[in-house]
Amino acid sequence: MTEGLAPIPAGHLPLSAQAPGKCIVFGEHAVVHGAPELLFAIDLSTQVVVRPAPRWVLNGDPSAAERHPYFRSVIQSPWAGAQPVDVRTVSRIPRGAGLGSSAALSAALTCALSSTTGGVDRPALAQRSFDVERGAQGVGSPGDTSAAVAGGFLTVNGEAIGESLWTVRDGDRTWNVRRVADPGWVWVVAHTGIPRATGDAVRAVGARLARPDGPTVLAEFARIATEGTRAVAAGDRKTVAELMVRNHELLREVGVSHPRLEALIEAAHPAADGAKLTGAGAGGSIVALPREGAETELVRRLARAGGLPFVVRPAPEGASLLSSP
Ligand code: MEV
């Protein structure tokens, strides 16, 4: 069994689960249109504590089932069981920052509730977590939820250069998810502080890619992600950094950059080999590959430019049950 990919065993309430956030290195947005994506689970996570209750409650809110789309999406799922629960969440992932907070919540809750209804294997957990996020968001790919379920580095729609983990389905569409070896680098992300809605950004890019030059733009996104994945697998930092810069230019071209993202990328420049927006964009965060040994300088520069920087490392473990609350 690949590390971190053990099935989720059956369990009884109360129980607790966690799932990591994610950072996309290449291919956000384009993945929704079938191009490859490369991403990794980050060492910031969301934890949920789930207890039996007379009605469905999220963080003390008894009307969350009507008001919180991700919670509603979970509890309407056939595998969630009929027993209402009280859920408390604790997250170190900034919300609306492009770092996978909604995927981590979806995967952690799906993991916990699937345990109460008999347990689940990883491919089914990846499918269920995607269905939850897709149900709440209306659009999107299974990259974020697969990272939350698998941990480590992954490709979606990528070349067959790593072990195939699972295929996620959405109607007629399928996405193949594969493991890629972690090159062992340290990354820096910085949040602009500007929240954004993934669904709106995905729909705007869809409209942009429907224009006559859309297929050419999509092919360039695909080329960058394919070459970027090969470079990560080969540990070729210089090529990865160059392709991150090119990927950002394309994301700017399809309209999902933001003046605050541009300012952070500019500020990162002297201490980073490469930087780009990560996630849906239009606000959210950047990811930078620091010049070797310049992590602290990079963090300082990003903070001085008004960003909220974090040093992140890939989290090898995906969603899991925690010891009893
Ligand atoms: C959001 O984290 C990544 C997008 O590609 C949307 C998706 O893949 O669901 C923008």
Side-chain angles (χ1 to χ4, degrees), residues 132-140 170 199 203:
V132 165
E133 195 181 53
R134 177 80 172 71
Q137 223 165 253
V139 286
D170 182 14
R203 280 181 276 270

Side-chain angles (χ1 to χ4, degrees), residues 110-133:
T110 303
C111 173
L113 292 182
S114 294
S115 173
T116 68
T117 54
V120 65
D121 65 21
R122 290 275 155 177
L125 180 60
Q127 180 71 53
R128 289 176 180 185
S129 302
F130 169 63
D131 292 342
V132 165
E133 195 181 53

Side-chain angles (χ1 to χ4, degrees), residues 126-244:
Q127 180 71 53
R128 289 176 180 185
S129 302
F130 169 63
D131 292 342
V132 165
E133 195 181 53
R134 177 80 172 71
Q137 223 165 253
V139 286
S141 80
D144 296 11
T145 42
S146 283
V149 168
F153 263 81
L154 303 177
T155 57
V156 181
N157 303 333
E159 288 183 312
I161 58 173
E163 179 198 1
S164 177
L165 297 184
W166 47 68
T167 297
V168 178
R169 291 170 204 289
D170 182 14
D172 292 346
R173 296 196 60 182
T174 57
W175 280 271
N176 187 249
V177 178
R178 291 180 176 274
R179 174 65 76 217
V180 174
D182 176 359
W185 303 333
V186 169
W187 305 76
V188 172
V189 298
H191 182 21
T192 57
I194 297 168
R196 84 292 165 270
T198 299
D200 295 346
V202 168
R203 280 181 276 270
V205 172
R208 171 64 185 82
L209 291 177
R211 290 185 356 206
D213 67 342
T216 312
V217 175
L218 190 59
E220 179 63 356
F221 271 117
R223 181 192 70 78
I224 289 167
T226 301
E227 289 183 9
T229 301
R230 288 180 197 156
V232 164
D236 178 354
R237 214 178 152 96
K238 182 166 172 287
T239 302
V240 170
E242 284 166 9
L243 290 167
M244 286 170 72

